[in-house]
Amino acid sequence: MAKKKKNPVEVYQMICGSCSSRNYVTRLKRENKSLEVSKYCPVERKHTPHKAKKA
């Protein structure tokens, strides 16, 4: 039988840097675990830095 390949993509949640709410979900390759992006936070109603954390 053929071996099943592992999926190189994992699910991460985007956590707001200022209010710590989990607003977004993204899929990243295992090598790109440290991701920080400026995204809109609906709790604070402004753009804030969001970091990726394992779901």
Side-chain angles (χ1 to χ4, degrees):
M1 290 180 72
K3 289 186 178 180
K4 188 174 182 181
K5 293 183 180 180
K6 288 186 177 181
N7 192 358
V9 179
E10 294 182 352
V11 177
Y12 288 87
Q13 291 182 342
M14 302 298 286
I15 300 175
C16 180
S18 57
C19 69
S20 300
S21 63
R22 298 169 187 247
N23 299 322
Y24 298 97
V25 175
T26 186
R27 293 185 176 125
L28 297 173
K29 290 186 178 180
R30 292 180 186 179
E31 299 88 33
N32 301 337
K33 292 180 181 177
S34 60
L35 176 71
E36 186 171 340
V37 182
S38 179
K39 290 190 151 290
Y40 180 77
C41 180
V43 176
E44 295 196 4
R45 294 189 276 169
K46 62 182 179 179
H47 280 81
T48 57
H50 283 69
K51 289 186 178 181
K53 187 169 182 180
K54 182 94 178 202

